[in-house]
Amino acid sequence: MNAPVEHAIAKQHLIDPEICIRCNTCEEICPVDAITHDNLNYVVKFDVCNGCLACVPPCPTGAIDSWRNVERATPYSLEEQFQWDVLPDTTELDNVEAPFAVERADDELPAEVQEITSIATAGQGGPALAPWSASHPYLNLYPPTRPITATVTGNYRLTADDASSDIHHIVLDFGATPFPVLEGQSIGIIPPGTDEKGKPQLLRMYSVASPRDGERPHYNNLSLTVKRVTEDHEGRPTRGVASNYVCDLQKGDKVQVTGPYGSTYLMPNHPGSSIMMICTGTGSAPMRAMTERRRRRLERNEGGELVLFFGARSPDELPYFGPLQKLPKDFIDINFAFSRVPGEPKRYVQDVIRERADKVLQMLQDENCYIYICGLKGMETGVLEAFRDICRANGADWDQLRPELLANARFHVETY
Ligand code: NAP
């Protein structure tokens, strides 16, 4: 049999179903809408993907970075990809240099995607752009096909009994099995049972809320911050499968855990490094982890500032930073924005950021300050606008500063 001629072969972009955690990041970021999903798998449309790689750096597991050479006329169809539990084996076709099925003109890419892709893939041996002094993260030690079993050792409600949201602090213990995590990383939880189509439940990701040495220092445990989902984005009543499962866990229950995930949203470790944290609601989880890490090392006098902007509906709905207000002002500078306090105007984090313009500008311009945003997607635009306004009002240029922040891994965003 004759081997197919080279130009008949094309590079097909695939997603490894064994390690994909179905976080939707790739689908959201793809500038040409080449990625889609069903209840089981995330897949790539062969006739749309142009190999721009915008989706590769943000993927927390690397599942997106999967490729096979195929005969251009007979690529793996979407229907085939939706059925896969594992990627197909490589074949002799993979030994040749093959082009993408769709030609890409670089200047067709949105400027922002081009910028992020080129920065995120430059240097550092790969896509990870963590602060230079971040510790080495372990990734994917336990994939969905081989989860680790953790034991619930605590489940505490964080919000007041009459608060509109039911947020829980969950403590998971890993016993004698190593599960190293850093502040800013996430883990996956696989709810038991099957979905409405009879398929096993997919994992859900949660940020770790405890520092690297454990929720309780030197215990092999960690904590999560989970809000019980009782309505969908349109406010219609619904029951979130995973959040209700997690919020109802009892001490002693066993939980299937995957991960850890996340190689860039990591805190700096060098003495003198400062951190600006901006969060809403349960987006406070990584901020609590970083703050607690610094608090446990207070007596080392390593310097550096912590400034927190935290948006919540009301003081009763604050996960964590209510109690942390007792921390010394010279350790952490806490700025709350409450949006639903009766008789008071709605305030969002971006409003408080504007009120602290001098401090914010100083931190944006401090090369030892690292900025972290976590929480509701909608906040991101508001915060970026506030940064732009603060720069403009003070003779600085946000459009010049932002790429510098990205290139130096000083700007980290995790919004949903
Ligand atoms: P929430 O209670 O609904 O909202 C928190 C605060 O943000 C409220 O004051 C809210 O004001 C305000 N807000 C709403 N829209 C805003 C906007 N455009 N700009 C600024 N502030 C705005 O928040 P939540 O339900 O806890 O949601 C937190 C988010 O964090 C979720 O998307 C979650 O997926 C994500 N997250 C969770 C974790 C975790 O580990 N659990 C980790 C990372 C991220 P209103 O009164 O107007 O609603």
Side-chain angles (χ1 to χ4, degrees):
M1 194 178 96
N2 289 333
V5 288
E6 204 165 301
H7 64 258
I9 301 169
K11 199 190 272 290
Q12 182 165 10
H13 190 186
L14 302 170
I15 298 175
D16 187 338
E18 268 192 298
I19 52 175
C20 170
I21 55 173
R22 283 79 176 165
C23 64
N24 204 51
T25 306
C26 54
E27 190 171 324
E28 236 170 73
I29 213 149
C30 177
V32 293
D33 289 332
I35 299 176
T36 184
H37 70 278
D38 70 355
N39 271 350
L40 193 62
N41 284 343
Y42 275 73
V43 298
V44 186
K45 298 172 194 163
F46 177 73
D47 52 349
V48 180
C49 174
N50 58 20
C52 75
L53 305 185
C55 56
V56 172
C59 172
T61 64
I64 193 84
D65 202 6
S66 306
W67 310 89
R68 293 287 184 274
N69 286 349
V70 291
E71 289 186 45
R72 194 179 285 268
T74 54
Y76 296 109
S77 67
L78 292 185
E79 290 67 33
E80 282 174 281
Q81 296 179 53
F82 281 135
Q83 306 289 327
W84 287 344
D85 293 322
V86 293
L87 282 177
D89 290 337
T90 52
T91 67
E92 61 181 26
L93 295 185
D94 289 293
N95 299 329
V96 300
E97 267 299 313
F100 290 101
V102 179
E103 292 273 318
R104 167 169 67 97
D106 266 353
D107 54 7
E108 279 171 13
L109 277 180
E112 197 165 13
V113 174
Q114 282 189 49
E115 178 198 41
I116 290 173
T117 307
S118 63
I119 291 167
T121 51
Q124 299 199 17
L129 257 187
W132 68 265
S133 60
S135 298
H136 171 76
Y138 289 90
L139 300 172
N140 284 319
L141 293 178
Y142 304 94
T145 45
R146 278 187 297 106
I148 181 177
T149 302
T151 306
V152 179
T153 54
N155 181 351
Y156 314 95
R157 184 173 162 135
L158 292 169
T159 42
D161 286 345
D162 56 351
S164 63
S165 46
D166 180 11
I167 301 179
H168 287 243
H169 178 70
I170 310 289
V171 184
L172 300 178
D173 192 282
F174 298 96
T177 314
F179 196 90
V181 285
L182 292 172
E183 306 79 11
Q185 283 195 292
S186 307
I187 65 163
I189 291 205
I190 308 178
T194 50
D195 63 17
E196 64 280 3
K197 291 196 170 155
K199 306 270 189 202
Q201 292 287 354
L202 294 177
L203 67 85
R204 311 300 203 278
M205 271 170 83
Y206 297 100
S207 295
V208 172
S210 48
R212 65 191 78 179
D213 57 342
E215 170 63 18
R216 189 168 166 192
H218 312 304
Y219 275 63
N220 189 17
N221 64 8
L222 56 75
S223 61
L224 306 174
T225 318
V226 183
K227 176 171 163 175
R228 190 187 292 279
V229 173
T230 53
E231 53 185 41
D232 64 17
H233 287 304
E234 276 77 48
R236 291 179 300 239
T238 187
R239 197 181 140 78
V241 172
S243 70
N244 279 277
Y245 162 66
V246 175
C247 288
D248 289 337
L249 285 168
Q250 304 289 313
K251 242 174 151 170
D253 284 351
K254 304 288 182 198
V255 181
Q256 299 301 100
V257 175
T258 65
Y261 305 116
S263 58
T264 60
Y265 199 99
L266 302 174
M267 66 187 286
N269 291 307
H270 61 284
S273 54
S274 295
I275 303 180
M276 188 200 298
M277 301 176 276
I278 302 164
C279 64
T280 53
T282 51
S284 56
M287 313 314 181
R288 193 245 186 192
M290 293 186 202
T291 304
E292 189 55 14
R293 167 75 180 166
R294 287 281 172 107
R295 192 189 67 77
R296 289 184 191 174
R297 295 167 68 87
L298 247 183
E299 75 285 356
R300 296 179 186 227
N301 270 328
E302 292 174 329
E305 291 177 276
L306 294 185
V307 174
L308 172 74
F309 295 96
F310 190 168
R313 295 176 182 181
S314 72
D316 282 349
E317 313 242 355
L318 273 181
Y320 304 125
F321 284 92
L324 286 181
Q325 280 181 89
K326 297 193 186 93
L327 290 170
K329 189 90 177 121
D330 59 358
F331 167 64
I332 182 167
D333 176 349
I334 301 181
N335 303 267
F336 290 125
F338 296 121
S339 58
R340 301 191 198 181
V341 177
E344 288 184 16
K346 199 183 215 9
R347 271 157 61 88
Y348 279 168
V349 278
Q350 50 269 40
D351 303 322
V352 188
I353 286 172
R354 283 196 170 83
E355 287 167 16
R356 295 293 311 278
D358 290 351
K359 183 76 211 160
V360 170
L361 184 67
Q362 177 249 309
M363 293 190 97
L364 288 175
Q365 293 179 328
D366 172 1
E367 63 182 29
N368 279 310
C369 177
Y370 294 75
I371 297 146
Y372 298 83
I373 300 178
C374 187
L376 295 168
K377 186 98 204 137
M379 146 184 76
E380 207 180 313
T381 315
V383 168
L384 295 184
E385 276 167 12
F387 284 166
R388 183 182 295 281
D389 290 346
I390 289 170
C391 287
R392 194 185 295 126
N394 290 280
D397 183 354
W398 172 245
D399 288 327
Q400 198 182 327
L401 193 55
R402 187 172 160 276
E404 282 171 28
L405 291 172
L406 281 169
N408 293 306
R410 290 182 47 218
F411 192 64
H412 302 271
V413 181
E414 202 166 283
T415 52
Y416 299 97

